[in-house]
Amino acid sequence: MTPNTAPVRLGVQLQPQHATYTQIRDAVLRMEDLGVDVVMNWDHFFPLSGDPDGLHFEAWTMLGAWAEQTERVEFGSLVNCNSYRNADLQADMARTLDHMSAKGGDVGRFIFGTGSGWFQRDYDEYGYEFGTVGSRLDDLAEALPRVKARWAKLNPAPTRDIPIMIGGKGEQKTLRLVAEHADIWHSFVRPDELGHKVDVLKRWGEKVGRDVSGITISNELPRRSLDDAYADALHDAGVRLFTLGISGPHYDDAAVKHWLAWRDRRNEEAGVRAA
């Protein structure tokens, strides 16, 4: 899994709820100026907390603006819902964002985060079939090879091998998909559970014939406290991409600054630099 020598990176999920687009745009620029490594939104159609009918914006359209307005940070959704868009269309959209974010001849900065979906209101109000947890995971399993096959056909091709992030922790289906396809595995798994999940992932890697040692482990930072001990435990368990979710309307960056300082301290102690 993530090599111990890999740098700690910080991703901030700017939840696109309860804020004007101007507030979201300003927050993206502020995150880049502060030095975060990745900025993300989420792929929903309604708020997940607070007023359920509050202000909210669509994910992929927003990412096109982020591709243009940022210069350094990687970006994407944490995570895309596979159910909402045709797999080949997702691939083309991702490739386009990859090119939009390549500045001055550099490669693109888009991360294709994806998952099977779970928020039933999105499905019901937008006319998608909700199905079951199993059927949605089966749909994701069918979509991922199509995404990669479409990337191989597109002209122009992506500027780089677009990193695939898969979210979830299910041992029978999700971790198999991670072993087969992911560059980054994201979950909410606690430090004391992470070793077991990593062992399951390694076993899936053996079964599907892929070395999973290079997969980056991503996890959530505490949402309501600045708990360095918890983050240290995640780090000791192999996490190297730490994500922090913050909501509108103000996108308070106090916690972001705390975790940036923690990131820099951990990297300095290890003698590595953030990518």
Side-chain angles (χ1 to χ4, degrees):
M1 304 308 301
T2 313
N4 288 333
T5 56
V8 173
R9 304 178 75 221
L10 179 67
V12 175
Q13 182 192 55
L14 298 172
Q15 300 164 357
Q17 60 177 7
H18 310 307
T20 66
Y21 185 71
T22 297
Q23 290 171 313
I24 296 171
R25 181 190 62 213
D26 291 348
V28 172
L29 294 175
R30 191 164 69 252
M31 293 304 110
E32 183 166 60
D33 288 344
L34 285 172
V36 304
D37 301 293
V38 187
V39 290
M40 296 164 283
N41 58 20
W42 64 32
D43 190 18
H44 295 289
F45 305 130
F46 302 95
L48 298 186
S49 63
D51 180 358
D53 295 312
L55 299 176
H56 198 279
F57 290 96
E58 193 275 330
W60 280 82
T61 311
M62 183 182 299
L63 293 176
W66 291 12
E68 288 283 358
Q69 74 187 61
T70 59
E71 298 289 335
R72 177 191 56 80
V73 291
E74 291 190 290
F75 67 101
S77 281
L78 186 64
V79 290
N80 166 67
C81 177
N82 176 67
S83 304
Y84 302 159
R85 303 163 193 88
N86 169 281
D88 293 85
L89 174 61
Q90 293 178 54
D92 205 340
M93 294 163 70
R95 182 280 310 256
T96 301
L97 289 170
D98 168 72
H99 276 265
M100 290 171 67
S101 62
K103 304 293 179 70
D106 292 335
V107 297
R109 295 173 284 116
F110 178 68
I111 295 173
F112 182 64
T114 193
S116 58
W118 62 273
F119 189 41
Q120 187 165 356
R121 185 184 180 189
D122 284 347
Y123 288 79
D124 291 346
E125 294 217 28
Y126 277 58
Y128 298 109
E129 181 180 351
F130 189 57
T132 65
V133 172
S135 69
R136 294 193 300 275
L137 280 166
D138 290 343
D139 290 343
L140 180 61
E142 189 270 339
L144 284 164
R146 287 176 56 190
V147 168
K148 294 197 287 190
R150 180 57 56 186
W151 282 340
K153 296 177 182 178
L154 288 169
N155 184 16
T159 67
R160 64 172 180 169
D161 291 334
I162 297 174
I164 295 174
M165 170 193 280
I166 296 177
K169 64 177 185 177
E171 297 182 9
Q172 297 304 310
K173 292 187 176 183
T174 302
L175 290 182
R176 175 172 185 152
L177 293 177
V178 172
E180 288 182 304
H181 301 289
D183 302 287
I184 305 168
W185 168 48
H186 180 80
S187 78
F188 298 82
V189 175
R190 294 182 55 82
D192 57 353
E193 302 171 343
L194 198 53
H196 168 70
K197 296 293 185 181
V198 168
D199 287 342
V200 172
L201 182 54
K202 288 178 179 177
R203 291 197 295 271
W204 275 123
E206 293 170 357
K207 289 181 180 180
V208 303
R210 182 185 175 209
D211 179 4
V212 300
S213 63
I215 295 175
T216 296
I217 302 176
S218 170
N219 208 304
E220 297 286 316
L221 285 162
R223 298 186 177 197
R224 294 180 176 84
S225 69
L226 303 180
D227 188 347
D228 287 11
Y230 186 86
D232 287 339
L234 285 174
H235 180 274
D236 293 345
V239 175
R240 289 299 180 271
L241 175 59
F242 293 80
T243 66
L244 176 70
I246 57 176
S247 180
H250 302 301
Y251 297 108
D252 182 12
D253 57 22
V256 176
K257 293 176 180 177
H258 173 90
W259 291 117
L260 284 169
W262 177 85
R263 176 201 68 183
D264 293 345
R265 186 167 64 253
R266 292 302 315 228
N267 285 337
E268 183 178 359
E269 291 168 355
V272 298
R273 297 180 62 184

